[in-house]
Structure formats: C-alpha cells, structure tokens
Amino acid sequence: ALAQSISLENAVDIFVKNNHDIQIFRKEALKTRADLITANEHPNPTLQTSYEFLDINHRLSDTARGSNAQATVMLSHPFETAGKLKKRVDLATKNISLSDFNLEDSIRRQLLILLDAYYTVLLDQTNLSNADNFAMDIFTQYVRQLKRKYNIK
C-alpha cells in the first residue's frame, strides 16, 4: 500500500482519538467521577447469615437430628464519625482534578511524540529531495566534463 498524505490537523485528531495511553487516562477520569458518586453515599448495612449443624454421634439410619443446629443472622451498619462523608467527597473531588491533569498531561506528551515523528518525516523528505538534487547536479557536472574531455556536443 502506498503512503497517503495527511494533514497535521487530521493526524492529531486521529491520534488523540485512537491512542491507547490517552484512552486509559480518559477511562480513569470517568472512573474518578463515578467514585465521587459513590463517595456521596452513606455506607450500606450488611446482612450475614450462617447455619451450622454438628452431630458427631449421628448415624445414617437415625432420623432424629436433635438440637445441635445453630442459625446465625447478623445485621451491621457502620457508624461514620462527623465529617467523614465530607472528607470522602473532598478526596474524590481532588482525585477528579488529578485524573483530569493526568489526562491532559498524557495528551500533551503523546502529541509531542506525534509532532516529533511528523517533523522527523518532513526533515527526512527534505533531506532525500536535497540528496536527489545534489546527486543530479553532480551527475550533470560529470556529464559536462566528459563531453568536454571527448569533445562531444
């Protein structure tokens, strides 16, 4: 496949949309926004249940189970000290700012890499063109010298 020309603006748009590093930081920024929603909520209570039956003397033919069964139900709800919710929300908000900064920094770093590659290609193209022109000039001079040497017009 032959190379196609692309403007720098189009290259930047495509690069920013498809760069995996930038996509990771975008998802991290979305995650921190979801964490803020969670931080605004009070903790949920937890319900635990268990059932145990211990009968060491039980034989397979016995039908009576006795009273060695124990069922446990436990409901717990954490108490939050004063200001804990606000501190959690403040931390989540600061994490959003940090993730936004990391996203912008990642975009900046990746764009620098792209621009470096873009201008390296332009420089290489210019050097190649100059080399072609220089080689043609040398060849032309050589042909002129040969014509003079052998009196060819």
Side-chain angles (χ1 to χ4, degrees):
L2 296 174
Q4 296 179 350
S5 294
I6 185 170
S7 71
L8 181 57
E9 185 177 331
N10 287 343
V12 167
D13 288 342
I14 292 168
F15 187 75
V16 169
K17 287 178 188 170
N18 297 313
N19 183 278
H20 294 295
D21 290 336
I22 294 172
Q23 289 176 0
I24 289 168
F25 282 104
R26 274 196 187 110
K27 289 182 185 200
E28 184 63 29
L30 290 173
K31 180 189 165 295
T32 58
R33 281 160 176 75
D35 289 344
L36 177 62
I37 294 169
T38 303
N40 271 310
E41 299 296 323
H42 291 285
N44 290 326
T46 56
L47 177 66
Q48 295 177 348
T49 60
S50 68
Y51 180 82
E52 295 177 17
F53 178 78
L54 299 173
D55 188 359
I56 297 173
N57 297 323
H58 177 69
R59 286 178 236 138
L60 293 175
S61 61
D62 293 343
T63 55
R65 298 273 180 190
S67 61
N68 293 326
Q70 178 181 356
T72 306
V73 177
M74 184 169 66
L75 177 65
S76 64
H77 192 281
F79 288 103
E80 288 192 327
T81 58
K84 187 170 185 179
L85 177 67
K86 182 184 179 317
K87 288 177 184 174
R88 210 172 38 238
V89 170
D90 289 345
L91 180 61
T93 303
K94 289 177 182 171
N95 281 339
I96 288 173
S97 298
L98 178 62
S99 68
D100 288 346
F101 172 80
N102 286 337
L103 173 60
E104 291 168 11
D105 185 55
S106 176
I107 291 171
R108 180 190 57 78
R109 281 185 283 120
Q110 296 302 320
L111 284 177
L112 287 174
I113 292 169
L114 173 68
L115 291 173
D116 181 55
Y118 179 81
Y119 287 114
T120 298
V121 168
L122 287 180
L123 180 62
D124 290 346
Q125 287 174 340
T126 302
N127 287 339
L128 181 62
S129 175
N130 289 340
D132 285 345
N133 292 338
F134 182 70
M136 186 55 82
D137 288 345
I138 289 175
F139 177 73
T140 304
Q141 289 175 6
Y142 180 68
V143 169
R144 270 192 242 138
Q145 287 175 356
L146 288 176
K147 283 181 179 181
R148 273 186 286 207
K149 181 177 181 179
Y150 296 106
N151 291 324
I152 301 173
K153 297 204 181 202

